[in-house]
């Protein structure tokens, strides 16, 4: 096949996989639901090779699926089953930190850098890269930007988008848009970079990014709390926001979450008995040791206990205990997966609407699927709660999908009715196309289609993702 | 003229000005350089009226120039002289705060709200709206977003763009894109709102915005410093960033700036003698009174004096003195205008490149225009320095433009060579079109033109602004 020969010549035959065994890992992502074998898996090592590969694919009219660490939850980074054959473009070999500058609080990282690698590069110059979530040891910068990842630090430093100073992008036709500046202010025309961030590879291939760093936190205090209700959690959030230090995490979870941790993670010690309906993990910090973070946390916890906003609280007494608290939160997705099938969602509502959101959802799900077990876990400090409806024990994924397949739309519709989003931080991929079709403003969809047609007139950039077909 | 009749009917005859005397204020902006009389000035009071007006204009094929407080410095908000007749669409009557929510840290403001009005609405619920600059008492939210305004707080809270949660936009054909959500995380497709922010009304009319608020600062300390050089200022910046409190302003200015203040603002008392080549204004703050901001500032100042990063320092001893410091900074543009003609720029470079930038520029300008007087003032904490070349006394604007008209390109080219921007916070309007043509990446320009054609196929939205004609 002449296209494959041209690709092998452009990026080297070793970096152009066509053997099914070699390609198998690239045909599946973390969630494991999307499986399709590509024509080839391309592993270019430099932006010029990405450019050449895109030009060759474009001239041949073959779709390209950009892929990173494949930890995404929406199916964007794998080829679609049943679609025309495509190329998977893995950015993993573009994994250099091109520059890190402490005085500028910036890092320039290639798309294939693992998120943790960027965190470490920042730490090496006494700076902090704040994007963090469970998959950070595998997820790559390109995927983080393609999905505009959120995670546990959004409450303080925003989503991935907010940390981008500049991008290098290879367009559908292979041309390179170099806007990799480290400047904090630039109003020279339209903010093109924001089109590519969150577009899940449907408008171009992000090959490198200039990212903002922040001062490292010199004092960090973490506590695990038992909370009587989401209303109480909301009051607690307000109290913590006014406690004096920076609130850098505020995670809410219901009892079912911790029950699953207890069941599947017996090596993890739960900080509190499983007697409360809700739990909160809170983390406060300051960039200077002179800020009395521990005293601020303790004062806030005492006030919260007095006000009934929490019924019990355990501050971490050591860094080891603090990390143990985080293991509970970060390993949770794995425990949940071990606990059987679920209908999962990724909703966000205005922070003040979180209690009403949870109340309405709990009632609606219990009414239709009384056998289901609802869990809610998420970043309550920014309104992003992941609600899932777990199957009762012994039911297979396929059967539960048939029974409770409509549960996601119940949750999504309530989120949207409260002014929220049905896709907070995971993206659309293929798994939420039906929700885009049903709940997204048709005018917004029309504009997205027109922009897609403008930047990718042949429709070869990760087709069938993000935007539902007409 | 049937179009004008239709407009008068849609928005009320009183809100459709056609008398030249009534329209005169709308034919000129703060800088006073752009003068053209529109066909009519429209003052709709509701988004539905904006929609109707846009539909009528679109059907008649007449260009529309959105306008706010007309404090812009690039000429975007007035009709172009010599261009086909257009309508000026003033958003001033869309001036309601639709919602302000302390728990959500959000405000929903219409485009015609004055920036200060939003600051006050936030303060009334014990929250802080951080965008601030000299013109905040006149500038409106629509213009703030259309130009992605920066100002003195960017170092801590970013540009206007970073504070936007959602937008309401009327498109060129009159359709309303309602994305006015207050949610912190939303990854449901392309981030359309970022196209309209900073587009200076060339892609649509922003009619309202949901904006992020932040916790109010409970302790604020400000100091005026004499600094020997930009290198010293950069070291000082690093010291202040690590001093413990939040660094919420870091303004750098050379002696000429304060000489102009002394000359034209005799009512203002300068905090320090005019003996230093450079001065810095620094402001540190904390959201909680328990953070020892004053002690942190004083420790940092002592260290800076010892290290030679500054030669003198005056902390404000009262709120009145603090505000007096800010009067010097905020009234400076007026004093500069009174001091005669200038070739002005709006550049940004990476923070670490500020000293090299200023050194190269000073040398280059002095070599070509030894009679010119260079001043530099700006937000050094985010790399945004405004360099101007003032005429010697007694020279008219027209003559100085003929003599030193190339000075802006000298400055802009050095900024771009250092990885910077030739348009940091004022936008392009008409006054920087020649710079866009000369220095912007042609591929970026091509994408902007294609996006413009996609969203505004008739080319009626503020034509001739932002994007140079081919």
């Amino acid at each position: 096949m002449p296209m494959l020969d041209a690709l092998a010549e452009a990026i080297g035959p070793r970096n152009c996989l066509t053997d099914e065994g070699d390609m198998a890992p690239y045909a599946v992502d973390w969630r494991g639901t999307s499986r399709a074998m590509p024509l080839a898996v391309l592993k270019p090592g430099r932006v010029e090779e990405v450019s050449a590969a895109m030009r060759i694919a474009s001239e041949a009219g073959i779709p390209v699926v950009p892929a990173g660490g494949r930890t995404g939850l929406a199916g964007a980074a794998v080829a679609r089953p049943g679609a025309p054959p495509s190329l998977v473009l893995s950015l993993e070999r573009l994994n250099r930190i091109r520059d890190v500058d402490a005085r500028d609080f910036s890092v320039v990282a290639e798309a294939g850098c693992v998120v943790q690698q960027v965190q470490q590069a920042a730490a090496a110059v006494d700076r902090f890269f704040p994007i963090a979530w469970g998959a950070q040891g595998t997820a790559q910068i390109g995927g983080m930007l393609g999905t505009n990842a959120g995670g546990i630090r959004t409450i303080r430093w925003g989503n991935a988008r907010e940390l981008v100073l500049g991008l290098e992008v290879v367009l559908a036709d292979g041309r390179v848009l170099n806007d990799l500046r480290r400047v904090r202010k630039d109003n020279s025309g339209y903010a093109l970079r924001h089109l590519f961030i969150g577009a899940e590879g449907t408008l171009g291939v992000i090959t490198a990014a200039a990212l903002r760093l922040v001062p490292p936190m010199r004092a960090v205090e973490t506590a695990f709390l038992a909370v009587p209700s989401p209303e109480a959690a909301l009051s607690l959030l307000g109290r913590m926001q006014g406690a004096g230090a920076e609130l850098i995490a505020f995670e809410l979870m219901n009892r079912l979450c911790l029950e699953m941790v207890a069941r599947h993670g017996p090596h993890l010690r739960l900080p509190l008995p499983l007697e409360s309906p809700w739990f909160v993990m809170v983390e406060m910090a300051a960039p200077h040791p002179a800020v009395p973070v521990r005293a601020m946390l303790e004062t806030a916890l005492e006030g919260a206990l007095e006000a009934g906003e929490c019924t019990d609280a355990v501050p971490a007494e050591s860094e080891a205990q603090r990390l143990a608290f985080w293991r509970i939160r970060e390993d949770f997705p794995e425990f949940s997966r071990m606990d059987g099938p679920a209908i999962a969602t990724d909703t966000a509502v205005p922070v003040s609407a979180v209690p009403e959101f949870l109340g309405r959802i709990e009632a609606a799900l219990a009414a239709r699927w009384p056998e289901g077990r609802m869990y809610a876990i998420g970043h309550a400090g920014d309104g992003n709660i992941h609600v899932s409806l777990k199957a009762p024990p012994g039911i297979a994924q396929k059967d539960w999908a048939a029974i409770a397949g409509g549960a996601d739309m119940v949750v999504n519709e309530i989120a949207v009715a409260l002014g929220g989003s049905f896709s907070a931080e995971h993206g659309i991929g293929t798994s939420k196309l039906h929700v885009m079709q049903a709940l997204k403003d048709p005018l917004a969809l029309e504009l997205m289609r027109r922009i897609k047609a403008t930047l990718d007139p042949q429709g070869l950039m990760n087709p069938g993702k993000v935007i539902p077909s007409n």
Side-chain angles (χ1 to χ4, degrees), chain A:
Chain A
M1 193 172 179
M3 180 191 70
L4 290 179
D5 294 341
L7 286 167
E9 191 175 334
I11 66 172
R14 282 177 47 204
N15 303 313
C16 185
L17 314 181
T18 51
D19 178 88
E20 292 222 345
D22 294 340
M23 294 196 294
Y26 297 90
V28 63
D29 63 9
W30 188 87
R31 189 155 265 187
T33 45
S34 311
R35 291 173 193 276
M37 200 56 75
L39 275 177
V41 172
L42 312 178
K43 302 198 290 181
R46 295 180 301 119
V47 62
E48 295 79 6
E49 293 179 358
V50 178
S51 170
M54 291 303 298
R55 198 178 54 245
I56 292 165
S58 155
E59 283 165 4
I62 300 294
V64 174
V65 179
R70 299 187 305 285
T71 58
L73 299 175
V78 285
R80 285 175 305 149
S86 58
L87 298 162
V88 165
L89 180 73
S90 171
L91 281 302
E92 67 196 273
R93 288 180 61 243
L94 275 91
N95 60 357
R96 290 175 309 142
I97 304 284
R98 290 194 197 161
D99 183 63
V100 55
D101 189 322
R103 287 205 299 184
D104 269 339
F105 288 81
S106 72
V107 59
V108 179
E110 292 185 338
C113 290
V114 170
V115 173
Q116 209 163 55
Q117 181 187 350
V118 175
Q119 294 168 346
Q120 287 161 355
V125 297
D126 198 31
R127 295 291 179 261
F128 183 58
F129 180 66
I131 299 285
W133 77 102
Q136 64 199 20
T138 309
Q140 297 171 9
I141 292 297
M144 177 192 85
L145 295 173
T147 57
N148 183 25
I152 56 175
R153 301 293 182 211
T154 306
I155 184 174
R156 172 61 185 87
W157 290 286
N159 299 292
R161 178 185 303 284
E162 274 81 51
L163 295 166
V164 177
L165 297 171
L167 285 187
E168 179 186 82
V169 179
V170 177
L171 302 181
D173 60 10
R175 289 188 293 174
V176 181
L177 182 67
N178 186 339
D179 188 33
L180 207 49
R181 280 171 301 172
R182 293 174 298 140
V183 76
R184 307 260 148 182
K185 286 177 161 178
D186 179 24
N187 279 329
S188 56
Y190 308 154
L192 298 173
R193 69 174 179 276
H194 285 293
L195 277 178
F196 300 103
I197 301 166
E200 304 181 35
T202 62
L203 297 179
V205 184
I206 294 172
T207 50
L211 300 164
R212 214 154 59 79
L213 302 177
V214 302
M217 295 292 112
R218 304 292 184 197
V220 180
E221 295 289 344
T222 310
F224 217 100
L225 290 75
V227 170
S229 67
E231 288 78 10
L234 185 61
S235 298
L236 180 72
L237 172 65
R239 179 183 301 274
M240 292 293 168
Q241 281 166 325
E246 301 188 13
L247 187 61
I248 66 170
F250 191 93
E251 301 283 311
L252 175 71
M253 57 206 94
N254 71 356
R255 184 164 51 206
L256 179 57
C257 299
L258 289 193
E259 285 169 359
M260 289 193 274
V261 173
R263 195 173 305 136
H264 303 288
H267 56 293
L268 298 180
R269 194 160 146 214
L270 293 182
L272 288 168
L274 283 176
E275 287 159 10
S276 175
W278 293 91
F279 296 87
V280 160
M281 238 186 98
V282 60
E283 194 158 86
M284 284 169 52
H288 197 278
V291 180
V293 181
R294 179 67 183 214
M296 287 166 165
L297 175 66
E298 285 175 358
T299 304
L301 291 179
E302 281 162 26
L305 280 163
E306 260 173 50
E309 291 160 0
C310 68
T311 55
D312 204 351
V314 182
E317 296 297 343
S318 65
E319 180 66 6
Q321 194 179 9
R322 191 180 83 81
L323 295 177
F325 286 3
W326 277 115
R327 274 276 64 73
I328 293 170
R329 175 63 187 93
E330 290 181 353
D331 290 350
F332 171 78
E334 194 57 40
F335 300 140
S336 168
R337 194 156 73 156
M338 292 161 75
D339 207 75
I343 308 295
T345 65
D346 172 32
T347 46
V349 293
V351 174
S352 62
V354 166
E356 182 179 352
F357 171 70
L358 287 168
R360 284 173 63 175
I361 279 176
E362 197 157 16
L365 294 179
R368 271 187 67 179
W369 297 281
E371 73 277 34
R373 301 168 296 150
M374 180 195 110
Y375 77 75
I377 188 165
H379 322 297
D382 53 52
N384 174 201
I385 310 284
H386 302 285
V387 172
S388 278
L389 193 65
K390 301 290 290 181
I395 294 202
Q397 174 72 46
K398 196 164 59 71
D399 297 330
W400 187 237
I403 296 167
D408 65 333
M409 287 306 286
V410 169
V411 175
N412 290 327
E413 280 170 9
I414 292 172
V416 170
L418 290 168
S421 170
F422 52 83
S423 175
E425 59 177 5
H426 298 165
I428 301 300
T430 54
S431 70
K432 288 206 179 68
L433 285 173
H434 65 293
V435 197
M436 281 289 269
Q437 186 70 60
L439 298 180
K440 191 75 186 176
D441 174 11
L443 179 53
L445 276 180
E446 181 194 319
L447 295 184
M448 288 179 203
R449 287 193 180 103
R450 282 158 59 184
I451 287 165
K452 167 82 173 165
T454 297
L455 291 181
D456 177 23
Q458 291 189 88
L460 299 179
M461 288 301 313
N462 213 1
K465 313 287 172 66
V466 181
I467 303 178
S469 52
N470 260 328

